[in-house]
Amino acid sequence: MHYILVSGGVISGVGKGIIASSTGLLLKSLGFRVSCIKIDPYVSVDAGLMAPAEHGECYVLNTGSEVDLDLGNYERYLSVCLTGDNNITTGKIYMDVISKERKGAYLGRTVQIVPHVVDAIKDWIKRVAKIPVDGSGEEPDVCIIELGGTVGDIESMPFLEALTQLRHEAGSKNFVSIMVSYVPTVHGEQKTKPTQHAVKSFRSYGLIPDLIACRCEKPLASGTVSKLALHCQVEVEQVVVVRDMPTIYQVPLLLEEQKIVPLLLGKLGLDTTTVPTPLATKGTEFWETWKRISTAKHEDTVNIALVGKYVSTPDAYMSVNKSLEHASMQIGRNLNLMWIDAEHLEPEAQTNEPVNYHKAWHNLNTASGLIVPGGFGKRGVLGMMLASKWARENGTPFLGVCLGFQVAVMQFARDHCSLPAADSEEFDALAKEPVIIHMPELDRQNMGGTMRLGLHKTNFQPGSEWSKIRALYGGAEFVEERHRHRYEVNPQFIDRLQEAGMNFIGKDESGQRMEILELKDHPYFVGTQFHAEYQSRVLDPSKPYLGFIAASAGCLDEVLKKESAKKPE
């Protein structure tokens, strides 16, 4: 097994995940099988209970594992399906070690950070690195390990020790370290000192940077690169300049341009490896398509309004944002995403925040399409409901996801089913007209990992052949998408809603749980209980999102014709 470690110095949040994903993409383009592991040193077991406004999106895998958003980057770039074990946290490691200690696995020895916790980390990495992730059943050739945070964080110490030992055990020909650092520009001068100190700290833990990826707004001067190479004790070609690019999808092209591939292959001893012809051919085709899609220039722009409650933190909607980008690139449009705080659409804002209120409604009125993504809690729900009403009544393409699906049902019930108090048990446990209820089989006491999670089947209903969303799925009998929810449409109100014109064209295998709604006489009004964005890929956009963007851009018929011609998988 070959390992590539991607870690950070100076500050966090400068793009380690994108650099890790881009590195994996370049190796995949050569025909190598690539897997990824993200290490998050926080004590939380997983990302499931973290506030989106603070930590960003909680990404959900096929298995139902709730993981860090960087695993979404890996899956989107590499077109792989990872497991929950591909996200390592301090919480998981300590649970593992303590569980073993309680069972007597350490035979009475004093359990310590070194060697027991460190050994647990190494064993976890070695085990997970071998798990097939590309659907072939074959073990990966390379595992990319991203260490979250920055070197020097106190919570990272056991992981740094484990990675140092892993490098020793794997051998220098099987372990490459990429350190990502930020090179700031102060008063026009590019400053190298922060990176020098970060590398010095990195070396003090026993790790040696084979490549230094320097994040910067503009290209570094040759003198700056030479200075970094000199004081960080690496060759000039080992300093990779990762400047800001028009899109993150062009970062792999930037890395290739700087000849990172031969450097990696040489250091990992893969330059003499013969890749099977079918894999090499497939990789080349993948790379050529990626370059064409990521560098294409588009004349037309599609304006999309995203109405949510976490809009101050765009990372909270990472997969939604990326799915919209994938779909826009696919149909040849630039994406202009307008972020609207749902609370600013509510009547109360007209009095308390009139400027924000009028700006929000102006953006909503001028948007070509409207999306309401998922979320939790009552804040902003009325604004989301009013947004869905506006889209429904004005023929504006609409996509509601999870909570967005539920608020569309609630508003429709109020407007067309003589249910003026239609509400959700999430917001009012004693609601008189609970059209949305807590799923009865779920745990109401414990929060972590107790939602309906992961990949579940949705069956298209008889008589739904007219459906646009079904046509987008190639006329399939069923689809499998990822879920993350506690609440569902109340079965007691289904008949009433359908009689009023709301079509639930997709249901779960029991036929009791509503999964997809669509209005028949509307350009595109679709809601999904599932999160289709979790399976969107750069070269294969999510179908609900593709239809939504196409409808917003006025080319849905063309896209429907193309997608309908595809045979369901």
Side-chain angles (χ1 to χ4, degrees), residues 33 133 177 182 210 220 284 302 348 426 457-458 464 478:
R33 302 188 190 278
V133 295
S177 178
Y182 177 59
D210 296 291
L220 297 183
T284 300
V302 58
E348 189 175 320
E426 180 179 3
K457 181 184 287 188
T458 294
S464 63
F478 68 89

Side-chain angles (χ1 to χ4, degrees), residues 299-315:
E299 294 182 1
D300 298 327
T301 297
V302 58
N303 298 307
I304 300 298
L306 185 152
V307 179
K309 59 200 307 176
Y310 314 122
V311 294
S312 61
T313 309
D315 277 359

Side-chain angles (χ1 to χ4, degrees), residues 236-301:
V236 170
E237 56 266 24
Q238 290 175 268
V239 179
V240 180
V241 180
V242 189
R243 66 181 185 276
D244 287 351
M245 299 294 286
T247 75
I248 60 171
Y249 307 110
Q250 293 180 17
V251 173
L253 282 69
L254 176 65
L255 296 182
E256 184 202 37
E257 180 185 297
Q258 297 188 65
K259 305 190 185 312
I260 190 176
V261 173
L263 279 170
L264 290 174
L265 296 181
K267 289 186 174 295
L268 289 173
L270 292 173
D271 48 351
T272 58
T273 300
T274 301
V275 177
T277 301
L279 286 177
T281 301
K282 186 177 179 180
T284 300
E285 292 174 351
F286 180 85
W287 179 237
E288 292 303 319
T289 304
W290 183 286
K291 288 194 293 184
R292 176 176 55 81
I293 292 289
S294 64
T295 59
K297 297 185 182 301
H298 312 301
E299 294 182 1
D300 298 327
T301 297

Side-chain angles (χ1 to χ4, degrees), residues 11 24 30 44 51 56 73 81-82 112 198 209 228 241 250 280 284 304 366 392 414 446 498 505 532 554 566:
I11 58 174
L30 299 176
S44 301
N73 286 326
C81 286
L82 303 175
Q112 297 176 293
L228 283 166
V241 180
Q250 293 180 17
T284 300
I304 300 298
T366 57
R392 173 165 47 81
R414 292 185 182 187
N446 299 301
Q498 293 191 137
I505 62 163
K566 296 180 180 179

Side-chain angles (χ1 to χ4, degrees), residues 7-32:
S7 59
V10 182
I11 58 174
S12 60
V14 291
K16 293 191 300 294
I18 297 302
I19 290 173
S21 301
S22 299
T23 302
L25 177 69
L26 291 172
L27 291 172
K28 178 176 178 174
S29 72
L30 299 176
F32 293 106

Side-chain angles (χ1 to χ4, degrees), residues 114-362:
V114 181
H116 303 101
V117 170
V118 168
D119 285 347
I121 295 169
K122 289 190 296 180
D123 292 344
W124 193 301
I125 292 173
K126 291 176 183 177
R127 172 177 58 83
V128 174
K130 296 179 180 180
I131 297 175
V133 295
D134 63 357
S136 68
E138 298 291 330
E139 183 178 309
D141 302 303
V142 179
C143 180
I144 297 176
I145 306 166
E146 180 189 349
L147 176 61
T150 56
V151 173
D153 294 342
I154 191 168
E155 60 265 33
S156 298
M157 299 302 180
F159 293 102
L160 287 168
E161 176 61 27
L163 291 165
T164 300
Q165 292 186 18
L166 180 64
R167 179 182 184 277
H168 175 75
E169 293 172 9
S172 59
K173 272 292 184 181
N174 295 311
F175 194 102
V176 164
S177 178
I178 301 175
M179 182 175 178
V180 183
S181 185
Y182 177 59
V183 179
T185 300
V186 181
H187 301 306
E189 181 182 357
Q190 295 170 338
K191 297 292 186 178
T192 65
K193 193 67 71 175
T195 298
Q196 292 179 43
H197 282 294
V199 170
K200 183 178 180 180
S201 177
F202 194 66
R203 290 179 181 276
S204 72
Y205 293 111
L207 288 168
I208 301 171
D210 296 291
L211 293 172
I212 302 175
C214 298
R215 286 286 292 112
C216 48
E217 286 80 12
K218 297 180 179 180
L220 297 183
S222 59
T224 302
V225 173
S226 297
K227 187 176 180 180
L228 283 166
L230 174 65
H231 293 289
C232 295
Q233 301 174 48
V234 296
E235 300 298 326
V236 170
E237 56 266 24
Q238 290 175 268
V239 179
V240 180
V241 180
V242 189
R243 66 181 185 276
D244 287 351
M245 299 294 286
T247 75
I248 60 171
Y249 307 110
Q250 293 180 17
V251 173
L253 282 69
L254 176 65
L255 296 182
E256 184 202 37
E257 180 185 297
Q258 297 188 65
K259 305 190 185 312
I260 190 176
V261 173
L263 279 170
L264 290 174
L265 296 181
K267 289 186 174 295
L268 289 173
L270 292 173
D271 48 351
T272 58
T273 300
T274 301
V275 177
T277 301
L279 286 177
T281 301
K282 186 177 179 180
T284 300
E285 292 174 351
F286 180 85
W287 179 237
E288 292 303 319
T289 304
W290 183 286
K291 288 194 293 184
R292 176 176 55 81
I293 292 289
S294 64
T295 59
K297 297 185 182 301
H298 312 301
E299 294 182 1
D300 298 327
T301 297
V302 58
N303 298 307
I304 300 298
L306 185 152
V307 179
K309 59 200 307 176
Y310 314 122
V311 294
S312 61
T313 309
D315 277 359
Y317 300 112
M318 175 73 79
S319 291
V320 170
N321 190 0
K322 298 310 172 190
S323 297
L324 295 170
E325 290 178 357
H326 302 164
S328 299
M329 290 190 293
Q330 187 76 15
I331 66 166
R333 299 291 192 279
N334 298 309
L335 174 67
N336 176 34
L337 190 56
M338 298 180 288
W339 301 84
I340 299 177
D341 188 325
E343 288 186 282
H344 294 162
L345 296 173
E346 298 175 355
E348 189 175 320
Q350 187 172 13
T351 302
N352 299 335
E353 301 177 79
V355 174
N356 288 331
Y357 175 84
H358 290 293
K359 181 180 179 181
W361 276 103
H362 174 267

